[in-house]
């Protein structure tokens, strides 16, 4: 059975304090690994797709990386507007549904 | 362009009532997905449509839940005899058939009293 575990559950950073969020996964053949951002009361917003180990993607202060067992979302010099829940999900080769972790709730204080 | 839209944004109903939740996907997206999200959890898959047919409904929790997509565009999630445990955020997403990126709507917050 596919499993996605995210850590930490919650993270509090000072503005400008860089850090990383972790997503560990087990899947029977990886079709893709996805990162989403979710603000309270809203739907998830797509950030990145990673398909194979060694792949990296960047967008503004965010950088996502992938190995065979985990993915990291690196946040460089975060700002208060980066505060949100970050969700990781996988799709296996046997289907098309996203299998999500529980998310990491990020709070960036001024 | 317009994103995925969902109506209503909020729905409050009483236990035992019937509810319908609507999803309008991004134009040109033939794949449509329904997910349910409880507080503090990630979204959980319910059902996936490719065109008009349900390609995978393995996530529907029981036979009180049903979804249709009669013309391959708008979809309706139907819940019969609602229970308090059905209270959650119901999310719809759409994608191109060959693409894997799913784009989500704003969700419908369902509260069963």
């Amino acid at each position: 059975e596919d499993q996605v575990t995210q850590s930490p559950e919650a993270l509090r950073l000072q503005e400008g304090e860089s850090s990383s969020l972790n997503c560990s996964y087990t899947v029977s053949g990886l079709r893709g690994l996805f990162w989403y951002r979710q603000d309270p009361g809203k739907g998830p917003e797509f950030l990145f797709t990673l398909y194979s180990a060694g792949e990296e993607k960047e967008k503004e202060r965010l950088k996502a990386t992938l190995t065979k067992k985990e993915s990291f979302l690196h946040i460089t010099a975060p700002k208060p507007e980066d505060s949100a829940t970050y969700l990781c999900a996988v799709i296996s080769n046997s289907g098309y549904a996203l299998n999500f972790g529980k998310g990491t709730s990020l709070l960036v204080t001024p | 362009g317009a994103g995925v839209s969902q109506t209503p944004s909020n729905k409050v109903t009483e236990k035992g009532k019937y509810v319908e939740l609507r999803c309008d996907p991004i134009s040109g997206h033939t794949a449509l997905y329904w997910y349910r999200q409880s507080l503090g959890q990630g979204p959980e898959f319910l059902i996936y449509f490719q065109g008009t047919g349900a390609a995978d409904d393995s996530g529907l929790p029981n036979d009180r839940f049903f979804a249709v997509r009669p013309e391959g565009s708008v979809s309706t999630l139907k819940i019969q005899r609602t229970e308090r445990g059905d209270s959650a955020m119901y999310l719809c997403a759409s994608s191109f058939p060959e693409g894997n990126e799913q784009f989500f709507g704003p969700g419908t917050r369902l509260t069963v009293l």
Side-chain angles (χ1 to χ4, degrees), chain A residues 25-55:
Chain A
Y25 66 93
T26 56
V27 63
S28 54
L30 182 69
R31 185 188 294 273
L33 184 140
F34 304 81
W35 283 98
Y36 286 84
R37 169 193 169 126
Q38 187 173 30
D39 292 302
K42 299 193 175 179
E45 174 190 345
F46 172 76
L47 293 174
F48 303 110
T49 308
L50 300 167
Y51 293 105
S52 56
E55 191 175 358

Side-chain angles (χ1 to χ4, degrees), chain A residues 31 36 38 46 49 96 98, chain B residues 35 37 41 100-102 105:
Chain A
R31 185 188 294 273
Y36 286 84
Q38 187 173 30
F46 172 76
T49 308
Y96 297 92
L98 288 162
Chain B
Y35 294 83
Q37 186 175 24
Q41 304 293 314
N100 294 305
E101 288 84 6
Q102 297 178 24

Side-chain angles (χ1 to χ4, degrees), chain B residues 18 20 22 27 37 50 52 55 63 72 81-82 108 111 113:
Chain B
Y18 168 83
E20 289 189 351
R22 176 189 166 108
S27 177
Q37 186 175 24
Q50 184 59 261
T52 60
D63 61 6
R81 304 183 305 279
T82 52
T108 294
T111 303
L113 301 176

Side-chain angles (χ1 to χ4, degrees), chain B residues 10-11 16 42 54 58 65 72 82 85 92 98 101-104 108 112:
Chain B
N10 280 284
K11 177 70 177 179
S58 62
F65 288 75
T82 52
C92 176
E98 68 278 7
E101 288 84 6
Q102 297 178 24
F103 297 91
F104 284 82
T108 294
V112 182

Side-chain angles (χ1 to χ4, degrees), chain B residues 53-71:
Chain B
D56 182 358
D57 64 357
S58 62
L60 294 177
N62 52 60
D63 61 6
R64 295 186 299 104
F65 288 75
F66 189 72
V68 296
R69 195 185 184 200
E71 297 179 357

Side-chain angles (χ1 to χ4, degrees), chain B:
Chain B
V4 177
S5 63
Q6 291 186 246
T7 55
S9 55
N10 280 284
K11 177 70 177 179
V12 180
T13 191
E14 294 180 343
K15 179 176 180 296
K17 298 288 188 182
Y18 168 83
V19 297
E20 289 189 351
L21 312 179
R22 176 189 166 108
C23 172
D24 204 335
I26 292 171
S27 177
H29 281 189
T30 59
L32 185 146
Y33 313 78
W34 284 99
Y35 294 83
R36 178 167 73 170
Q37 186 175 24
S38 301
L39 208 58
Q41 304 293 314
E44 294 179 325
F45 169 73
L46 295 176
I47 187 168
Y48 155 59
F49 287 89
Q50 184 59 261
T52 60
D56 182 358
D57 64 357
S58 62
L60 294 177
N62 52 60
D63 61 6
R64 295 186 299 104
F65 288 75
F66 189 72
V68 296
R69 195 185 184 200
E71 297 179 357
S73 180
V74 171
S75 175
T76 304
L77 179 66
K78 308 180 180 194
I79 311 174
Q80 298 178 320
R81 304 183 305 279
T82 52
E83 300 177 356
R84 293 194 180 89
D86 298 335
S87 296
M89 174 75 88
Y90 287 80
L91 295 162
C92 176
S94 69
S95 73
F96 288 114
E98 68 278 7
N100 294 305
E101 288 84 6
Q102 297 178 24
F103 297 91
F104 284 82
T108 294
R109 168 71 65 190
L110 175 66
T111 303
V112 182
L113 301 176

